[in-house]
Amino acid sequence: MKFTLNWLKDHLDTDADLQKVVDTLTMIGLEVEGVEDRTKGLESFVVAEVLEADKHPDADKLKVCTVSNGSETFQVVCGAPNARKGMKAVFATEGTYIPGLDVTLKKAKIRGVESSGMMLSEREMNLSDEHDGIVDLPADAEVGAQAIKVMGIDDPVIEIAITPNRGDCLGVRGVARDLAAAGIGTLRALNSDKAGGSFESPIKVHLDFDEATKDACPYFVGRYVRGVKNCESPQWLKDRLLAIGLRPISALVDITNLVTFDLGRPLHVFDVARLTGDIHVRLAKDGEKILALDGKEYELDSEMTVIADEKEAEAIAGVMGGEISGCTDDTTDVFIESAYFDPIRTAITGRKLNLQSDARFRFERGVDPVFTYDGAEIATHLVMELCGGEPSEIVVAGAAPDIRNKLTLRAGRVEQITGVKVPADEIVRILEVVGCEVVRNGNDFDVLTPSWRPDIVAGLEGEAGLVEEVVRLYGYAHIPATPLERETDLPVQALTPIQKNRSTARRMLAQRGLIESVTYSFLPMEQAKMFGGGADAVCLVNPISTDLNVMRPSILPNLIVACGKNDDHDNPNACLFEVGPEYHGDGPKDQRTVATGVRSGKTGDRNWAQQPRNVDAFDAKADALAVLESIGAPTGNLQVFTDDIPAWYHPGRAGSLRLGPKNILAWFGEIHPGILKQLGVKGPIVGFEIYLENLPKAKPKKTTKPLLKIAQFHTVERDFAFVIGKDVTAEQVVRAAKGADKTLITKVGVFDLFEGASLGEDKKSIAINVTLQPTERTLKDDEIEAIAQKVIGKVVGATGGELRG
Amino acid sequence: MDNVETLRSEILDAVAGSSDLKALEDIRIAELGKKGRVSGLMKTLGKMEPEERKAAGQALNVLKSEIASAIDGRKGALEIEALNAQLINERIDVSLPVRPEDQGRIHPISQTIDEVVAIFGEMGFTVAEGPDIEEDWYNFSALNIPPEHPARQEHDTFYLPNEKEGHRMVLRTHTSPVQIRTMQNQKPPIRIIVPGRTYRCDYDATHSPMFHQVEGLVIDKKTHMGHLKGCLIDFCRAFFDMDDLPVKFRPSYFPFTEPSAEVDIGCTREGGEFKIGHGDDWLEILGSGMVNPQVLVNCGIDPEEYQGFAFGMGIERIAMLKYGIPDLRTFFESDLRWLRHYGFQSLQTPSMVGGLD
């Protein structure tokens, strides 16, 4: 919302300067987004009179002018077609800076004739793109006066942001009213005298709605004006519109824009010659079409309101007028429309048609229904003043809906909600200037809200609205900053166990050398499908692009693609992780938090001490185990499963870590080369996905740990090698060995693995190291031997292999 | 026994002159060995008179132990020499780089959330969460933003295809729906913060389709707007580590709070350089207000009994301001150069007692 300081002062009687106005606006919630001082750099330009304008001796299009600034005369060579003897122009002397040209004027010779100074166009003044000629000032402009004053641009433009609740401030008058309530001036009276009317309007207005839809347009005020002459608007009106960025069109159109921005009252003016019969305000027919003023055709439906004549729709109510019945230079008779349209219906219509307009913007935020009548009168006066004509009697259909609310602001409520004690008299003053009717009722205040403030609703919410009005206009600076004391002496734990686990997982992975990334929750459909996702329920209806149209079923694709991109930027071997959501449906429980990571390429840069190797599944497994260990998972009980490997892992180089056969805590392994190829990323890449939420719930808090028993006796180690089938897993061997004596055997390590033709095609050799920890006494040789035999027996029994000779 | 003295000096000279352990051992054998000279002399004692034997024996024992200790001493010295020589040989170039170890990093968004949690945690807030895919009732209607409300249109909402009981599924446009979920499930007093992902259908230099917010909610019987002010001033000053950071509250509008306020912090842009702190300018960093009574009613809380405040701010925004990160979009690009530069060390866990950064 834009306006100039002088425009504001038409409504607000104040001696506040620009700074005071700007500061106050922001502090009452009308946030100033900018102040444009259009005079900057133009201060030195003066009004000059062209005393003589003769043809240039050597150039057809140039003139040699004698120009007076009141005290001196200058010879100026000028190329403007409108430069002529007797005109008043904007003059810049040599040495001044011309903003539109970005040059400082110097004395020059133009085609052999000396030229000193310059007469300026609007473009050269940086005011507009107008460059057809130099600025032609009014004949009565005082020679020597500052041009910016004569041109009426010494009036700063203020732009404010209007929050959706403040439809009343979408007119300058509403802004003035709020400033008055803030105590920096008084609101001037508005002249809305009745224009009378000498004849009965030949056009009647019918509100054609049934009981269920009559709210669509409950009130319509119109007036017929005959014998008007549409013309260019006067300078003051054009200046006003130009200042706020609107293009003046013709007096009849400009009047509607002025009333919209000055008073927040959208209007429409129909060319009667283009209308057939009476006006009917009705719902559109499904499929009914209208060519709107923006030159586009819109197809309407039966939820939308139109203003129609006997034949067809002539305007989309509250949104935009029709092209056919719009005013032109030839218009002689007009019908002025000032109506009240339902905010919600207007909003739906505009949204469905994807059609934004100044009218819609106001109607959907709520305009003052009572002011509908005054709006019609004010518009009539303006039409008569600028275009002449003779008004009919006013035409009124329906009545203004009463949208005011009766509220009680209870004593003490302001202080209870805001902590500020505002004196009762000040409460009354503020509410009254805002437009409320206030009656003291004991210590309470009975309030009737004004018809232009639909945002102050009924009930308790409305009371809160009144509290806001009072404190906003009294000043938020008065709210006392009060420490928020804790309910407990010491802070409570802020994180739940699951939240804490995420944080631990994050820092553990970073500690292990992975770099945390945060990637979008959405990704392209083909990637979603590669990773088991892409269900309809998680596809965005209105994605920002087709690259980001499905909620991710896994974080892996984002990280894999990131590895590829980094590789392209000469940053190979990326190790990335993300702890975040994946989406398996659109319900709250379908969202899971996963700690996902990848390692790509080699284990590091080349180095004198050790050569890097390709990353492998065990790197990913180590990361997964480290995270699970760090968040207290019973890693000793984890089992590695190699069935049901997801399609994005290498089928022979991946596995899951499970607690029991069903509860999967993590997947790890090499990413399937086919997937990498589809994603266009170089391998190898290994990855892991840790389902943090699948961890068994921590038992009720117990801080004590089991008593530590340190054994007094030396450990004994024995090595064994077995030849087993290739498909037997190391875990089976280790488990079997451990099972030989659950008390004495404390550790089983795998220290060698061998496959070779000597063993046979489908065989491999695995060597384990078994540690015994005696607890009662030193073990005797035969006891050790007995356990060794048991180990051999268990392993052979479990695997069908044999001790390697 | 005059020859003992001669012998002593002869042998000690030999020991001192021995150049390696082998020569020293040869001396030991030649003198103290079974067939050695000193041992030979010891054998002569038996033929002596008792008086003479006593004196000679004493002298020989002294000689023997003197030689033994000279040999030990020389041995130690030779060993040290030998070790020194060996160590000199073992010299390595310690200027060589160490074996590579990867340096991990924590993303600025995580770090900033941890900082925010550390500060509000100290004020008695706990962390609550909700789903990213929401019903529009939680995201809008329950927050007093009915359909067709202009505020709803301003949210640039991402929609999903399904409806649940007439409610459209959306990607939450703010963390505020978690206010509703919390109030529905928890009796006041309530004091929560809600960090999380949020989504708006908008992408340009200052907008990302996904970003993070942190929401705050306090509901009890006594918390008023002064507490809101106190709480947020304390937060801003702690977060930006500036005891006297100017903080300003301006009226604004959010459908779910009434009265509402936007919060600005002081800054300066003098000489083209942006700095937070005292200056002639203000920068908006968060929105807040007293919870609208209608929102309490929507959640089954009696607004005549309970009241409180809510606030919300952008995580990336405050991270950008605090850490001087210029571009919002770079947060989500997974560029290693960016992550290494703006990321944080794994052990740099923020806390109020240990320091925020």
Side-chain angles (χ1 to χ4, degrees):
Chain A
M1 171 77 188
K2 281 183 174 179
F3 52 88
T4 69
L5 185 59
N6 285 340
W7 191 343
L8 178 71
K9 288 183 174 177
D10 282 355
H11 294 286
L12 183 70
D13 185 1
T14 181
D15 44 21
D17 61 8
L18 176 66
Q19 195 57 46
K20 176 81 181 158
V21 168
V22 164
D23 291 346
T24 308
L25 282 168
T26 291
M27 288 317 291
I28 61 175
L30 303 172
E31 188 186 357
V32 174
E33 295 197 307
V35 177
E36 186 194 345
D37 178 2
R38 295 174 296 162
T39 64
K40 223 172 207 159
L42 308 178
E43 298 91 337
S44 63
F45 303 146
V46 297
V47 178
E49 182 173 2
V50 180
L51 302 176
E52 298 293 338
D54 302 322
K55 214 179 104 12
H56 191 287
D58 285 330
D60 285 348
K61 292 196 173 161
L62 296 180
K63 290 181 190 119
V64 181
C65 304
T66 308
V67 176
S68 164
N69 68 356
S71 49
E72 286 176 77
T73 57
F74 304 86
Q75 175 171 297
V76 180
V77 177
C78 179
N82 64 338
R84 64 190 186 278
K85 182 175 173 175
M87 86 178 286
K88 300 275 176 68
V90 178
F91 183 65
T93 54
E94 35 173 303
T96 51
Y97 176 77
I98 310 298
L101 297 176
D102 191 23
V103 295
T104 300
L105 279 186
K106 281 188 269 186
K107 192 177 284 230
K109 263 195 176 162
I110 300 173
R111 292 280 183 100
V113 177
E114 207 154 88
S115 180
S116 162
M118 184 174 182
M119 291 185 286
L120 305 175
S121 69
E122 285 191 9
R123 186 163 88 192
E124 284 153 350
M125 294 177 79
N126 234 358
L127 291 174
S128 75
D129 286 337
E130 181 60 49
H131 195 52
D132 291 341
I134 53 176
V135 176
D136 205 339
L137 295 174
D140 60 356
E142 186 195 337
V143 175
Q146 256 193 322
I148 47 175
K149 289 221 169 102
V150 175
M151 295 176 76
I153 55 173
D154 60 334
D155 186 10
V157 179
I158 301 167
E159 180 166 16
I160 57 176
I162 304 289
T163 52
N165 58 325
R166 295 305 302 275
D168 65 303
C169 286
L170 292 170
V172 180
R173 186 165 182 80
V175 176
R177 185 189 292 117
D178 236 28
L179 284 170
I184 67 159
T186 50
L187 191 65
R188 294 183 200 271
L190 183 68
N191 182 8
S192 57
D193 291 349
K194 296 196 168 33
S198 53
F199 61 96
E200 190 183 332
S201 169
I203 294 179
K204 306 279 179 292
V205 174
H206 310 273
L207 305 181
D208 296 344
F209 297 96
D210 59 23
E211 195 54 30
T213 56
K214 64 175 187 185
D215 289 346
C217 176
Y219 190 32
F220 189 117
V221 181
R223 179 171 259 138
Y224 192 105
V225 186
R226 67 189 177 199
V228 301
K229 170 85 194 80
N230 200 4
C231 53
E232 204 176 306
S233 290
Q235 197 60 42
W236 68 265
L237 176 50
K238 287 202 278 188
D239 284 347
R240 214 149 252 200
L241 296 179
L242 282 169
I244 61 170
L246 290 177
R247 192 166 53 91
I249 294 167
S250 68
L252 288 172
V253 176
D254 295 350
I255 286 167
T256 62
N257 281 330
L258 177 71
V259 177
T260 299
F261 284 88
D262 187 39
L263 304 170
R265 167 27 74 183
L267 298 170
H268 191 65
V269 180
F270 294 97
D271 184 342
V272 169
R274 317 288 184 101
L275 295 179
T276 310
D278 284 351
I279 295 258
H280 295 264
V281 189
R282 58 167 170 85
L283 293 179
K285 299 176 195 107
D286 282 319
E288 187 170 4
K289 294 201 171 96
I290 182 170
L291 183 65
L293 275 170
D294 61 0
K296 292 183 192 155
E297 190 178 71
Y298 293 91
E299 188 175 324
L300 310 175
D301 68 33
S302 59
E303 300 285 305
M304 303 173 178
T305 311
V306 293
I307 299 157
D309 60 9
E310 308 272 324
K311 259 171 51 192
E312 59 189 354
E314 298 295 348
I316 309 166
V319 181
M320 192 172 276
E323 177 73 29
I324 306 292
S325 53
C327 292
T328 67
D329 291 348
D330 307 326
T331 300
T332 56
D333 297 340
V334 296
F335 192 80
I336 299 168
E337 167 226 309
S338 176
Y340 181 79
F341 300 110
D342 177 52
I344 292 175
R345 195 178 287 274
T346 310
I348 296 175
T349 302
R351 181 172 53 74
K352 279 187 193 162
L353 300 177
N354 193 21
L355 180 54
Q356 189 52 272
S357 72
D358 294 323
R360 170 191 166 189
F361 198 75
R362 284 162 180 74
F363 277 115
E364 67 188 8
R365 282 160 178 75
V367 301
D368 179 0
V370 174
F371 194 74
T372 308
Y373 191 97
D374 305 86
E377 293 289 5
I378 289 166
T380 308
H381 280 292
L382 281 165
V383 168
M384 289 163 64
E385 185 187 324
L386 304 187
C387 308
E390 189 187 353
S392 75
E393 288 161 2
I394 204 152
V395 180
V396 177
D402 189 357
I403 59 168
R404 298 174 301 168
N405 286 301
K406 274 193 186 137
L407 296 167
T408 299
L409 175 59
R410 287 167 287 176
R413 197 66 179 156
V414 171
E415 188 178 4
Q416 187 193 340
I417 300 284
T418 67
V420 193
K421 218 173 162 59
V422 183
D425 291 348
E426 181 64 5
I427 291 177
V428 173
R429 185 197 74 80
I430 288 170
L431 291 178
E432 284 183 345
V433 183
V434 160
C436 297
E437 290 169 29
V438 185
V439 177
R440 298 287 293 271
N441 177 1
N443 287 327
D444 297 346
F445 308 88
D446 287 339
V447 178
L448 181 65
T449 63
S451 59
W452 55 84
R453 290 299 300 272
D455 60 304
I456 307 175
V457 299
L460 267 183
E461 188 185 350
E463 189 186 30
L466 294 178
V467 169
E468 176 171 75
E469 288 307 292
V470 169
V471 177
R472 173 174 78 85
L473 295 161
Y474 189 63
Y476 273 16
H478 289 105
I479 298 171
T482 314
L484 181 69
E485 278 166 14
R486 277 198 305 258
E487 309 247 333
T488 52
D489 284 352
L490 292 174
V492 293
Q493 184 178 326
L495 299 178
T496 63
I498 285 181
Q499 291 161 350
K500 205 177 152 197
N501 284 349
R502 284 179 211 157
S503 178
T504 305
R506 198 173 267 134
R507 291 192 184 269
M508 169 53 78
L509 289 168
Q511 187 61 23
R512 291 178 60 79
L514 289 96
I515 293 181
E516 190 187 15
S517 181
V518 175
T519 65
Y520 287 144
S521 297
F522 17 63
L523 39 62
M525 176 58 97
E526 65 268 20
Q527 290 182 16
K529 285 191 168 150
M530 277 181 237
F531 288 80
D536 287 347
V538 290
C539 291
L540 297 181
V541 171
N542 55 334
I544 203 113
S545 82
T546 51
D547 280 349
L548 301 169
N549 59 356
V550 193
M551 301 308 286
R552 64 189 189 189
S554 162
I555 305 171
L556 278 174
N558 284 349
L559 298 181
I560 293 169
V561 168
C563 288
K565 270 196 202 146
N566 279 300
D567 198 18
D568 292 344
H569 290 144
D570 302 324
N571 282 296
N573 309 334
C575 299
L576 294 168
F577 77 96
E578 178 171 356
V579 180
E582 54 182 45
Y583 309 85
H584 300 280
D586 60 4
K589 292 202 169 123
D590 299 324
Q591 179 176 332
R592 292 198 283 181
T593 303
V594 188
T596 301
V598 293
R599 291 178 181 267
S600 65
K602 299 211 175 275
T603 50
D605 294 336
R606 285 190 302 160
N607 177 271
W608 63 271
Q610 66 190 28
Q611 287 315 306
R613 57 171 172 81
N614 280 349
V615 294
D616 63 28
F618 298 100
D619 294 316
K621 185 180 179 185
D623 289 329
L625 283 170
V627 167
L628 289 171
E629 179 83 40
S630 73
I631 59 177
T635 42
N637 300 336
L638 286 178
Q639 283 174 271
V640 176
F641 282 71
T642 52
D643 32 359
D644 304 328
I645 304 276
W648 51 91
Y649 286 108
H650 187 307
R653 295 184 177 178
S656 55
L657 295 167
R658 304 189 190 195
L659 270 180
K662 291 246 172 77
N663 187 9
I664 301 177
L665 296 193
W667 286 104
F668 65 89
E670 212 174 296
I671 303 299
H672 197 297
I675 294 278
L676 294 183
K677 196 175 169 198
Q678 285 183 70
L679 293 173
V681 178
K682 263 197 321 217
I685 294 185
V686 298
F688 58 86
E689 297 164 277
I690 307 164
Y691 301 111
L692 300 170
E693 285 144 19
N694 288 3
L695 225 64
K697 281 226 171 65
K699 304 230 169 63
K701 256 194 182 164
K702 195 176 135 193
T703 53
T704 54
K705 299 184 173 211
L707 189 64
L708 173 66
K709 292 179 197 152
I710 294 179
Q712 301 298 313
F713 308 96
H714 287 295
T715 56
V716 180
E717 292 188 25
R718 283 290 180 277
D719 294 349
F720 306 87
F722 296 96
V723 176
I724 53 178
K726 251 187 192 166
D727 52 349
V728 176
T729 65
E731 191 172 82
Q732 284 172 286
V733 175
V734 169
R735 270 184 190 279
K738 271 188 182 160
D741 190 321
K742 287 192 170 134
T743 354
L744 286 175
I745 299 177
T746 52
K747 205 164 88 183
V748 178
V750 177
F751 70 89
D752 191 37
L753 194 63
F754 174 73
E755 292 178 16
S758 59
L759 293 172
E761 266 297 284
D762 51 356
K763 300 276 187 211
K764 65 183 173 189
S765 157
I766 187 166
I768 60 172
N769 171 274
V770 176
T771 306
L772 306 177
Q773 173 64 68
T775 51
E776 308 292 325
R777 55 184 171 77
T778 309
L779 293 177
K780 293 185 189 130
D781 284 352
D782 57 336
E783 288 169 327
I784 296 169
E785 182 54 27
I787 294 170
Q789 285 309 318
K790 222 171 156 192
V791 167
I792 294 165
K794 281 275 183 190
V795 172
V796 168
T799 64
E802 57 186 19
L803 192 66
R804 194 174 176 196
Chain B
M1 293 298 285
D2 288 349
N3 54 346
V4 170
E5 268 315 302
T6 319
L7 194 61
R8 175 208 310 272
S9 62
E10 187 190 320
I11 295 171
L12 290 182
D13 284 351
V15 167
S18 63
S19 62
D20 57 38
L21 290 169
K22 169 84 174 56
L24 193 63
E25 181 62 8
D26 289 347
I27 294 171
R28 193 189 62 78
I29 292 166
E31 309 300 345
L32 301 181
K34 276 185 188 160
K35 292 176 183 168
R37 280 201 285 176
V38 178
S39 309
L41 285 176
M42 291 295 272
K43 285 175 190 156
T44 63
L45 291 175
K47 296 168 191 161
M48 291 183 188
E49 291 304 311
E51 278 302 303
E52 191 189 3
R53 182 165 64 212
K54 192 178 172 193
Q58 257 175 5
L60 279 177
N61 276 332
V62 168
L63 175 65
K64 206 173 149 182
S65 68
E66 254 181 289
I67 293 168
S69 94
I71 288 175
D72 277 354
R74 182 63 187 154
K75 191 179 176 190
L78 284 174
E79 276 170 355
I80 287 170
E81 264 175 43
L83 182 62
N84 282 346
Q86 182 196 338
L87 294 187
I88 294 296
N89 256 332
E90 285 173 3
R91 182 194 299 275
I92 57 169
D93 176 4
V94 293
S95 76
L96 281 167
V98 298
R99 291 172 189 82
E101 284 172 31
D102 284 332
Q103 290 291 316
R105 284 287 187 280
I106 294 290
H107 195 283
I109 290 176
S110 299
Q111 186 76 12
T112 303
I113 290 175
D114 284 354
E115 288 174 41
V116 169
V117 170
I119 298 168
F120 284 113
E122 205 73 21
M123 294 192 240
F125 287 77
T126 59
V127 176
E129 290 169 321
D132 295 7
I133 300 176
E134 266 294 4
E135 293 169 33
D136 62 1
W137 188 83
Y138 287 101
N139 195 73
F140 293 120
S141 309
L143 288 160
N144 210 25
I145 316 174
E148 307 309 332
H149 192 288
R152 200 186 271 216
Q153 309 313 317
E154 285 176 5
H155 271 226
D156 297 317
T157 312
F158 281 115
Y159 291 94
L160 292 120
N162 287 349
E163 281 188 8
K164 295 203 174 142
E165 289 154 26
H167 302 305
R168 273 190 96 170
M169 303 308 288
V170 300
L171 290 187
R172 66 178 180 192
T173 58
H174 45 185
T175 40
S176 309
V178 184
Q179 284 187 28
I180 304 297
R181 288 180 177 275
T182 305
M183 285 191 279
Q184 280 183 333
N185 294 318
Q186 188 184 330
K187 268 184 78 96
I190 291 171
R191 205 177 274 204
I192 54 158
I193 51 167
V194 186
R197 294 179 174 223
T198 49
Y199 307 86
R200 305 260 175 118
C201 188
D202 203 354
Y203 186 69
D204 60 34
T206 55
H207 295 92
S208 165
M210 182 187 94
F211 55 102
H212 293 71
Q213 279 191 346
V214 61
E215 188 85 4
L217 176 72
V218 176
I219 301 289
D220 56 30
K221 294 185 177 178
K222 58 177 195 299
T223 292
H224 58 62
M225 209 161 171
H227 296 109
L228 164 68
K229 212 170 173 177
C231 168
L232 291 178
I233 290 175
D234 284 345
F235 168 78
C236 291
R237 291 180 175 169
F239 181 80
F240 291 107
D241 192 18
M242 214 176 281
D243 291 341
D244 57 350
L245 177 68
V247 183
K248 183 173 86 175
F249 288 69
R250 288 183 282 111
S252 187
Y253 169 74
F254 306 101
F256 38 102
T257 51
E258 183 105 34
S260 303
E262 273 180 344
V263 182
D264 297 343
I265 55 173
C267 66
T268 135
R269 295 183 168 90
E270 238 167 68
E273 195 200 354
F274 176 83
K275 259 169 54 193
I276 288 171
H278 288 274
D280 53 358
D281 212 345
W282 295 95
L283 187 81
E284 179 193 325
I285 65 157
L286 63 91
S288 64
M290 297 303 292
V291 176
N292 190 311
Q294 187 57 46
V295 174
L296 295 175
V297 170
N298 293 345
C299 300
I301 292 177
D302 180 4
E304 294 284 18
E305 192 178 355
Y306 292 106
Q307 61 182 47
F309 66 74
F311 61 84
M313 65 187 130
I315 295 290
E316 288 85 350
R317 181 165 175 80
I318 59 172
M320 286 164 79
L321 291 171
K322 181 166 181 175
Y323 295 110
I325 303 173
D327 188 345
L328 169 67
R329 292 174 294 190
T330 54
F331 280 81
F332 309 106
E333 286 173 353
S334 302
D335 187 314
L336 284 174
R337 295 164 294 187
W338 190 94
L339 293 169
R340 286 198 179 108
H341 182 76
Y342 290 112
F344 293 81
Q345 302 281 351
S346 57
L347 297 180
Q348 225 176 319
T349 310
S351 80
M352 287 305 283
V353 284
L356 281 183
D357 39 31

